[in-house]
Coordinates of all heavy atoms in Angstrom, one line a residue:
L82 N -2.8 5.3 -19.8 CA -2.0 4.2 -20.3 C -2.4 3.8 -21.7 O -1.5 3.6 -22.6 CB -2.1 3.0 -19.4 CG -1.4 1.7 -19.8 CD1 0.1 2.0 -20.1 CD2 -1.6 0.6 -18.8
D83 N -3.7 3.5 -22.0 CA -4.1 3.1 -23.3 C -3.8 4.1 -24.4 O -3.3 3.8 -25.5 CB -5.6 2.8 -23.3 CG -5.9 1.5 -22.6 OD1 -5.0 0.6 -22.6 OD2 -7.0 1.3 -22.2
E84 N -4.0 5.4 -24.1 CA -3.6 6.4 -25.1 C -2.1 6.5 -25.4 O -1.8 6.6 -26.5 CB -4.1 7.8 -24.5 CG -5.6 8.0 -24.5 CD -5.9 9.3 -23.8 OE1 -5.4 10.4 -24.3 OE2 -6.8 9.3 -22.9
V85 N -1.3 6.3 -24.4 CA 0.1 6.3 -24.6 C 0.5 5.1 -25.4 O 1.3 5.2 -26.3 CB 0.9 6.3 -23.2 CG1 2.4 6.1 -23.4 CG2 0.7 7.7 -22.5
R86 N 0.0 3.9 -25.1 CA 0.3 2.7 -25.8 C -0.1 2.8 -27.3 O 0.7 2.5 -28.2 CB -0.4 1.5 -25.2 CG -0.1 0.2 -25.9 CD -0.9 -1.0 -25.4 NE -2.4 -0.7 -25.4 CZ -3.1 -0.7 -26.5 NH1 -2.6 -1.0 -27.7 NH2 -4.4 -0.5 -26.4
E87 N -1.2 3.4 -27.6 CA -1.7 3.6 -29.0 C -0.8 4.6 -29.7 O -0.4 4.5 -30.8 CB -3.1 4.1 -29.0 CG -4.1 3.0 -28.6 CD -5.5 3.5 -28.3 OE1 -5.8 4.7 -28.6 OE2 -6.3 2.7 -27.8
S88 N -0.4 5.7 -29.0 CA 0.5 6.7 -29.5 C 1.8 6.1 -29.9 O 2.4 6.5 -30.9 CB 0.6 7.9 -28.6 OG 1.3 8.9 -29.1
L89 N 2.4 5.3 -29.0 CA 3.7 4.7 -29.3 C 3.5 3.7 -30.5 O 4.4 3.6 -31.3 CB 4.2 3.9 -28.1 CG 4.7 4.8 -26.9 CD1 4.9 4.0 -25.7 CD2 6.0 5.5 -27.4
A90 N 2.4 3.0 -30.6 CA 2.2 2.1 -31.7 C 2.2 2.8 -33.0 O 2.7 2.3 -34.1 CB 0.9 1.3 -31.5
E91 N 1.6 4.1 -33.0 CA 1.6 4.9 -34.2 C 3.0 5.2 -34.8 O 3.1 5.4 -35.9 CB 0.8 6.1 -34.0 CG -0.7 5.9 -33.9 CD -1.5 7.1 -33.4 OE1 -0.9 8.2 -33.4 OE2 -2.7 7.0 -33.1
V92 N 4.0 5.3 -33.9 CA 5.3 5.6 -34.3 C 6.2 4.4 -34.5 O 7.4 4.4 -34.6 CB 6.0 6.7 -33.4 CG1 5.4 8.0 -33.4 CG2 6.2 6.1 -32.0
G93 N 5.5 3.2 -34.4 CA 6.2 1.9 -34.7 C 6.8 1.2 -33.5 O 7.5 0.2 -33.7
I94 N 6.4 1.6 -32.3 CA 6.9 0.9 -31.1 C 5.8 0.0 -30.6 O 4.8 0.4 -30.3 CB 7.3 1.9 -30.0 CG1 8.4 2.8 -30.6 CG2 7.7 1.2 -28.8 CD1 8.7 4.0 -29.7
T95 N 6.2 -1.3 -30.7 CA 5.2 -2.3 -30.3 C 5.4 -3.0 -29.0 O 4.5 -3.6 -28.4 CB 5.1 -3.4 -31.4 OG1 6.4 -4.0 -31.6 CG2 4.7 -2.8 -32.7
G96 N 6.6 -3.0 -28.5 CA 6.9 -3.7 -27.2 C 7.1 -2.7 -26.1 O 7.9 -1.7 -26.3
L97 N 6.5 -2.9 -25.0 CA 6.8 -2.1 -23.8 C 6.5 -2.9 -22.5 O 5.8 -3.9 -22.6 CB 6.0 -0.8 -23.8 CG 4.4 -0.9 -24.0 CD1 3.7 -0.9 -22.7 CD2 4.0 0.4 -24.8
T98 N 7.0 -2.4 -21.4 CA 6.8 -3.0 -20.1 C 6.0 -2.0 -19.3 O 6.4 -0.8 -19.3 CB 8.1 -3.4 -19.5 OG1 8.8 -4.3 -20.3 CG2 7.9 -4.0 -18.1
V99 N 5.0 -2.4 -18.6 CA 4.2 -1.6 -17.7 C 4.2 -2.1 -16.3 O 4.0 -3.3 -16.1 CB 2.7 -1.5 -18.2 CG1 1.9 -0.7 -17.3 CG2 2.7 -1.0 -19.7
T100 N 4.4 -1.2 -15.4 CA 4.4 -1.5 -13.9 C 3.6 -0.5 -13.2 O 3.6 0.7 -13.4 CB 5.9 -1.4 -13.4 OG1 6.8 -2.1 -14.2 CG2 6.0 -2.0 -12.0
E101 N 2.7 -1.0 -12.3 CA 1.9 -0.2 -11.5 C 2.8 0.3 -10.3 O 3.4 -0.6 -9.6 CB 0.7 -0.9 -10.9 CG -0.3 -1.2 -12.0 CD -1.6 -1.9 -11.5 OE1 -1.7 -1.9 -10.3 OE2 -2.3 -2.3 -12.4
V102 N 2.9 1.6 -10.1 CA 3.8 2.2 -9.0 C 3.0 3.2 -8.3 O 1.9 3.6 -8.6 CB 5.1 2.8 -9.6 CG1 5.9 1.7 -10.3 CG2 4.8 3.9 -10.6
K103 N 3.6 3.7 -7.2 CA 3.0 4.8 -6.4 C 4.1 5.8 -6.2 O 5.3 5.4 -6.0 CB 2.5 4.3 -5.1 CG 1.3 3.4 -5.2 CD 0.8 3.0 -3.8 CE -0.4 2.1 -4.0 NZ -1.1 1.9 -2.7
G104 N 3.8 7.1 -6.1 CA 4.7 8.1 -5.9 C 4.1 9.4 -5.8 O 2.9 9.6 -5.9
F105 N 5.0 10.4 -5.6 CA 4.5 11.8 -5.6 C 5.7 12.7 -5.8 O 6.8 12.4 -5.6 CB 3.8 12.2 -4.2 CG 4.7 12.3 -3.1 CD1 5.3 13.6 -2.8 CD2 5.1 11.3 -2.3 CE1 6.2 13.7 -1.7 CE2 5.9 11.4 -1.2 CZ 6.5 12.6 -0.9
G106 N 5.3 13.9 -6.4 CA 6.3 14.9 -6.6 C 5.8 16.2 -6.1 O 5.4 16.3 -4.9
R107 N 5.7 17.2 -6.9 CA 5.1 18.5 -6.4 C 3.7 18.3 -6.1 O 3.1 19.1 -5.3 CB 5.2 19.5 -7.6 CG 6.6 20.0 -7.7 CD 6.6 21.2 -8.7 NE 7.9 21.4 -9.2 CZ 8.2 21.7 -10.4 NH1 7.2 22.0 -11.3 NH2 9.5 21.9 -10.8
Q108 N 3.0 17.3 -6.7 CA 1.6 17.1 -6.4 C 1.4 16.7 -5.0 O 0.3 16.9 -4.5 CB 1.2 15.9 -7.3 CG -0.3 15.7 -7.4 CD -0.6 14.6 -8.4 OE1 0.3 13.9 -8.9 NE2 -1.8 14.4 -8.7
K109 N 2.4 16.3 -4.3 CA 2.3 15.8 -2.9 C 1.3 14.7 -2.8 O 1.3 13.8 -3.6 CB 2.0 17.0 -1.9 CG 3.0 18.1 -2.0 CD 4.2 17.9 -1.2 CE 5.1 19.1 -1.1 NZ 5.7 19.5 -2.4
G110 N 0.4 14.8 -1.9 CA -0.7 13.8 -1.8 C -2.0 14.6 -1.7 O -2.1 15.7 -2.1

């Protein structure tokens, strides 16, 4: 999360919404 937030800030995006979620895809459990 912190790396993504910093990377978005570098391209000029300052506002975002973050939600903690749970899920799975190919990774299964």
Side-chain angles (χ1 to χ4, degrees):
L82 177 59
D83 285 335
E84 290 176 52
V85 170
R86 183 186 52 77
E87 290 167 8
S88 187
L89 286 168
E91 288 173 9
V92 295
I94 297 168
T95 56
L97 54 91
T98 301
V99 176
T100 310
E101 291 181 11
V102 296
K103 292 183 179 190
F105 71 92
R107 287 190 199 142
Q108 191 177 9
K109 306 275 188 294

